[in-house]
Amino acid sequence: MTTSETSRYVRLHVELVLEVGEPEALTDAALDRIDTDELMPDEERAHAGAAVRDDPAEALAYLVDPFDLVGDVPGVDLAQASWSCEQIDYDPDAEEWDIDGEDGETDEDEDDGEDDERDRA
């Protein structure tokens, strides 16, 4: 592929952390989606139903569709998509959850080593 061909493709990374406040409602919605999916084979339907009853993350995965995110964006076609859901331990105050320094610190605040070098010189 040439550069002009590959530059037509863009990888969009999205990471969401969702709080499941009503797991029963989530499970019910996923089961409804599975029951009404005309293209899903019966054997897969039974497996999917068991999975969403056991795990809210599985239920969410059946309800989230990447096409819904970009389907109405003009000038783009979804070429490939993959997604997964998992239960996590989430602490919004933990440093590992600070996405792109959203806690208000700047790069200068975090880079103490470079300031120390200048102080010694």
Side-chain angles (χ1 to χ4, degrees):
M1 287 186 152
T2 66
T3 303
S4 63
E5 289 175 311
T6 59
S7 65
R8 295 181 2 195
Y9 296 93
V10 175
R11 183 181 307 259
L12 172 66
H13 290 270
V14 176
E15 183 169 335
L16 304 170
V17 176
L18 305 171
E19 181 178 0
V20 179
E22 298 182 39
E24 297 83 14
L26 178 64
T27 300
D28 290 346
L31 290 171
D32 186 51
R33 168 79 57 94
I34 291 166
D35 288 343
T36 59
D37 186 343
E38 297 173 358
L39 300 176
M40 186 179 291
D42 289 339
E43 184 177 303
E44 185 179 337
R45 189 182 318 276
H47 175 73
V52 302
R53 283 184 192 92
D54 290 341
D55 186 357
E58 286 289 332
L60 185 60
Y62 275 95
L63 294 171
V64 172
D65 184 350
F67 183 78
D68 292 341
L69 182 63
V70 297
D72 293 332
V73 176
V76 300
D77 290 314
L78 182 61
Q80 179 180 349
S82 67
W83 67 103
S84 64
C85 294
E86 62 184 343
Q87 291 189 28
I88 59 169
D89 292 325
Y90 176 66
D91 177 2
D93 297 325
E95 186 175 318
E96 65 202 53
W97 292 102
D98 182 27
I99 300 174
D100 296 328
E102 289 181 359
D103 65 356
E105 287 187 11
T106 64
D107 288 340
E108 291 176 6
D109 295 337
E110 295 173 2
D111 194 1
D112 292 333
E114 190 173 308
D115 292 337
D116 291 343
E117 288 284 325
R118 281 187 238 145
D119 291 341
R120 284 187 285 221

